[in-house]
Amino acid sequence: MSGGSPDGLNANGGSGLDGEVGERVARLSELLHFPTPFPIKIMGVQTEAFIESVIEVVQRHAPDFDARTLEKRPSRQGTYLGLTATIRATSREQLDALYRELTSHPLVKVVL
């Protein structure tokens, strides 16, 4: 992260992520001992492009992520798809960067 303090926090003590996601990452990072398995839930419109894009983003931040372990759950009517990618999280900065890229992706609707 650029422009932040050495501990990765912004001037207000936050991680630079906004709202609920930033608060979740901040709370979890206080409780986690890295490295650790960390599930990330991603929702989007059910298309192959959505799945491929999520895998690319996740592997960019967690190169050891095995795409075969990606869990898929379609919505009741099949319009949306919920994905769970469990990564080996190595730092709070890694999680911040991954959440930031996923939440800004045009095919992603929600990240938890």
Side-chain angles (χ1 to χ4, degrees):
M1 290 176 28
S2 63
S5 65
D7 62 3
L9 301 176
N10 65 24
N12 298 323
S15 66
L17 293 176
D18 293 329
E20 186 176 326
V21 171
E23 291 174 19
R24 179 175 182 245
V25 170
R27 282 193 309 270
L28 287 173
S29 68
E30 294 172 4
L31 301 173
L32 296 175
H33 300 282
F34 296 105
T36 188
F38 190 86
I40 300 167
K41 298 185 184 293
I42 308 109
M43 293 287 298
V45 176
Q46 185 164 324
T47 65
E48 194 60 36
F50 167 64
I51 297 168
E52 290 171 5
S53 295
V54 167
I55 291 170
E56 287 174 16
V57 171
V58 170
Q59 287 180 331
R60 191 167 20 259
H61 296 276
D64 58 345
F65 173 70
D66 182 352
R68 295 173 297 182
T69 66
L70 187 69
E71 297 175 36
K72 302 170 189 159
R73 290 197 180 98
S75 66
R76 200 169 318 175
Q77 295 184 354
T79 305
Y80 295 97
L81 183 65
L83 303 175
T84 301
T86 301
I87 67 165
R88 182 178 163 273
T90 57
S91 70
R92 176 181 174 168
E93 292 76 20
Q94 176 198 35
L95 293 174
D96 283 350
L98 177 54
Y99 272 89
R100 193 174 295 110
E101 186 170 354
L102 284 170
T103 58
S104 67
H105 196 285
L107 296 177
V108 173
K109 301 297 181 194
V110 177
V111 179
L112 301 172

